[in-house]
Short mmCIF file of all heavy atoms in Angstrom, two decimals:
data_model
loop_
_atom_site.label_atom_id
_atom_site.label_comp_id
_atom_site.label_asym_id
_atom_site.label_seq_id
_atom_site.Cartn_x
_atom_site.Cartn_y
_atom_site.Cartn_z
N THR A 1 86.10 70.70 106.75
CA THR A 1 84.87 70.05 106.32
C THR A 1 84.99 68.54 106.28
O THR A 1 83.99 67.84 106.13
CB THR A 1 84.43 70.57 104.94
OG1 THR A 1 85.48 70.32 104.00
CG2 THR A 1 84.10 72.05 104.99
N GLY A 2 86.21 68.02 106.37
CA GLY A 2 86.43 66.58 106.37
C GLY A 2 86.15 65.90 105.04
O GLY A 2 85.81 64.73 105.01
N VAL A 3 86.31 66.62 103.95
CA VAL A 3 86.04 66.03 102.63
C VAL A 3 87.29 65.43 102.01
O VAL A 3 87.48 65.48 100.81
CB VAL A 3 85.37 67.06 101.67
CG1 VAL A 3 83.99 67.44 102.16
CG2 VAL A 3 86.25 68.28 101.48
N HIS A 4 88.13 64.83 102.84
CA HIS A 4 89.35 64.19 102.35
C HIS A 4 89.00 63.08 101.37
O HIS A 4 88.07 62.33 101.59
CB HIS A 4 90.14 63.56 103.50
CG HIS A 4 90.36 64.47 104.64
ND1 HIS A 4 91.35 65.41 104.64
CD2 HIS A 4 89.71 64.60 105.81
CE1 HIS A 4 91.31 66.08 105.77
NE2 HIS A 4 90.32 65.61 106.50
N SER A 5 89.77 63.01 100.32
CA SER A 5 89.59 61.92 99.36
C SER A 5 90.89 61.76 98.58
O SER A 5 91.81 62.58 98.70
CB SER A 5 88.45 62.22 98.41
OG SER A 5 88.77 63.30 97.55
N GLY A 6 90.95 60.74 97.79
CA GLY A 6 92.10 60.58 96.90
C GLY A 6 92.21 61.75 95.94
O GLY A 6 93.31 62.17 95.57
N MET A 7 91.04 62.30 95.57
CA MET A 7 91.05 63.43 94.65
C MET A 7 91.64 64.69 95.31
O MET A 7 92.45 65.39 94.69
CB MET A 7 89.62 63.73 94.18
CG MET A 7 89.55 64.84 93.15
SD MET A 7 87.88 65.09 92.52
CE MET A 7 87.07 65.70 93.98
N THR A 8 91.28 64.96 96.56
CA THR A 8 91.82 66.16 97.21
C THR A 8 93.31 65.98 97.53
O THR A 8 94.09 66.93 97.39
CB THR A 8 91.03 66.52 98.49
OG1 THR A 8 91.05 65.40 99.39
CG2 THR A 8 89.61 66.91 98.16
N ALA A 9 93.69 64.78 97.93
CA ALA A 9 95.12 64.51 98.18
C ALA A 9 95.90 64.64 96.88
O ALA A 9 96.98 65.24 96.84
CB ALA A 9 95.30 63.13 98.78
N GLY A 10 95.36 64.10 95.80
CA GLY A 10 96.01 64.21 94.49
C GLY A 10 96.11 65.64 94.01
O GLY A 10 97.11 66.05 93.41
N ALA A 11 95.07 66.43 94.29
CA ALA A 11 95.09 67.85 93.90
C ALA A 11 96.20 68.60 94.64
O ALA A 11 96.87 69.45 94.06
CB ALA A 11 93.73 68.49 94.17
N CYS A 12 96.40 68.26 95.91
CA CYS A 12 97.46 68.92 96.69
C CYS A 12 98.84 68.52 96.17
O CYS A 12 99.74 69.37 96.09
CB CYS A 12 97.31 68.59 98.16
SG CYS A 12 95.85 69.37 98.91
N ALA A 13 99.01 67.25 95.81
CA ALA A 13 100.28 66.81 95.22
C ALA A 13 100.49 67.48 93.87
O ALA A 13 101.60 67.93 93.55
CB ALA A 13 100.31 65.29 95.09
N LEU A 14 99.43 67.54 93.07
CA LEU A 14 99.51 68.22 91.77
C LEU A 14 99.93 69.67 91.95
O LEU A 14 100.79 70.17 91.22
CB LEU A 14 98.16 68.14 91.05
CG LEU A 14 98.04 68.95 89.76
CD1 LEU A 14 99.02 68.43 88.71
CD2 LEU A 14 96.60 68.92 89.24
N TYR A 15 99.34 70.34 92.94
CA TYR A 15 99.69 71.74 93.19
C TYR A 15 101.18 71.88 93.51
O TYR A 15 101.85 72.76 92.96
CB TYR A 15 98.85 72.30 94.34
CG TYR A 15 99.07 73.77 94.53
CD1 TYR A 15 98.42 74.70 93.74
CD2 TYR A 15 99.98 74.25 95.47
CE1 TYR A 15 98.64 76.05 93.89
CE2 TYR A 15 100.22 75.59 95.62
CZ TYR A 15 99.55 76.49 94.83
OH TYR A 15 99.80 77.84 94.96
N PHE A 16 101.69 71.02 94.37
CA PHE A 16 103.11 71.07 94.73
C PHE A 16 103.98 70.97 93.49
O PHE A 16 104.86 71.81 93.25
CB PHE A 16 103.46 69.95 95.71
CG PHE A 16 104.93 69.85 95.99
CD1 PHE A 16 105.53 70.64 96.96
CD2 PHE A 16 105.74 68.97 95.27
CE1 PHE A 16 106.89 70.56 97.22
CE2 PHE A 16 107.10 68.88 95.52
CZ PHE A 16 107.68 69.67 96.49
N PHE A 17 103.76 69.95 92.67
CA PHE A 17 104.60 69.73 91.49
C PHE A 17 104.37 70.79 90.41
O PHE A 17 105.30 71.17 89.70
CB PHE A 17 104.42 68.32 90.94
CG PHE A 17 105.03 67.29 91.85
CD1 PHE A 17 104.24 66.43 92.58
CD2 PHE A 17 106.42 67.20 91.99
CE1 PHE A 17 104.80 65.49 93.43
CE2 PHE A 17 106.99 66.27 92.85
CZ PHE A 17 106.17 65.41 93.56
N ALA A 18 103.15 71.30 90.33
CA ALA A 18 102.87 72.38 89.36
C ALA A 18 103.63 73.65 89.75
O ALA A 18 104.21 74.32 88.89
CB ALA A 18 101.37 72.66 89.30
N ARG A 19 103.67 73.95 91.05
CA ARG A 19 104.39 75.16 91.48
C ARG A 19 105.90 74.98 91.33
O ARG A 19 106.60 75.91 90.95
CB ARG A 19 104.03 75.51 92.94
CG ARG A 19 102.60 75.91 93.16
CD ARG A 19 102.06 76.92 92.17
NE ARG A 19 102.89 78.11 92.08
CZ ARG A 19 102.63 79.15 91.29
NH1 ARG A 19 101.57 79.16 90.53
NH2 ARG A 19 103.43 80.17 91.25
N LEU A 20 106.39 73.79 91.62
CA LEU A 20 107.82 73.53 91.42
C LEU A 20 108.17 73.66 89.95
O LEU A 20 109.15 74.33 89.59
CB LEU A 20 108.18 72.14 91.95
CG LEU A 20 109.62 71.68 91.73
CD1 LEU A 20 110.61 72.62 92.41
CD2 LEU A 20 109.80 70.26 92.22
N GLY A 21 107.38 73.04 89.10
CA GLY A 21 107.61 73.13 87.66
C GLY A 21 107.51 74.56 87.16
O GLY A 21 108.30 75.00 86.32
N HIS A 22 106.55 75.32 87.69
CA HIS A 22 106.37 76.71 87.28
C HIS A 22 107.63 77.53 87.56
O HIS A 22 108.09 78.29 86.70
CB HIS A 22 105.16 77.32 88.01
CG HIS A 22 104.88 78.73 87.64
ND1 HIS A 22 105.34 79.79 88.39
CD2 HIS A 22 104.20 79.26 86.61
CE1 HIS A 22 104.93 80.91 87.82
NE2 HIS A 22 104.24 80.62 86.74
N VAL A 23 108.19 77.36 88.73
CA VAL A 23 109.40 78.11 89.08
C VAL A 23 110.56 77.72 88.16
O VAL A 23 111.28 78.58 87.66
CB VAL A 23 109.77 77.91 90.57
CG1 VAL A 23 111.17 78.41 90.87
CG2 VAL A 23 108.76 78.60 91.45
N ILE A 24 110.73 76.45 87.93
CA ILE A 24 111.85 75.99 87.09
C ILE A 24 111.74 76.53 85.68
O ILE A 24 112.70 77.09 85.14
CB ILE A 24 111.93 74.45 87.10
CG1 ILE A 24 112.35 73.95 88.49
CG2 ILE A 24 112.89 73.95 86.03
CD1 ILE A 24 112.18 72.46 88.69
N VAL A 25 110.56 76.40 85.08
CA VAL A 25 110.44 76.87 83.69
C VAL A 25 110.42 78.39 83.61
O VAL A 25 110.82 78.96 82.60
CB VAL A 25 109.24 76.24 82.96
CG1 VAL A 25 109.38 74.73 82.87
CG2 VAL A 25 107.92 76.61 83.59
N TYR A 26 109.98 79.06 84.67
CA TYR A 26 110.03 80.53 84.70
C TYR A 26 111.49 80.98 84.69
O TYR A 26 111.87 81.88 83.94
CB TYR A 26 109.32 81.03 85.95
CG TYR A 26 108.80 82.45 85.87
CD1 TYR A 26 107.52 82.75 86.31
CD2 TYR A 26 109.58 83.50 85.39
CE1 TYR A 26 107.03 84.05 86.26
CE2 TYR A 26 109.09 84.79 85.35
CZ TYR A 26 107.82 85.06 85.78
OH TYR A 26 107.35 86.34 85.74
N VAL A 27 112.30 80.36 85.53
CA VAL A 27 113.72 80.73 85.61
C VAL A 27 114.42 80.49 84.28
O VAL A 27 115.23 81.30 83.82
CB VAL A 27 114.42 79.98 86.76
CG1 VAL A 27 115.93 80.12 86.68
CG2 VAL A 27 113.91 80.48 88.10
#
């Protein structure tokens, strides 16, 4: 859809770090 923005890029970075953090604290 081409709706790139700082918000969507930030959401993708947030997702990456949230999933990394989730695995670490789960373990």
Side-chain angles (χ1 to χ4, degrees):
T1 58
V3 294
H4 310 279
S5 68
M7 184 176 67
T8 57
C12 291
L14 173 64
Y15 186 82
F16 173 85
F17 289 109
R19 294 313 306 181
L20 176 60
H22 181 264
V23 167
I24 292 168
V25 298
Y26 203 134
V27 168

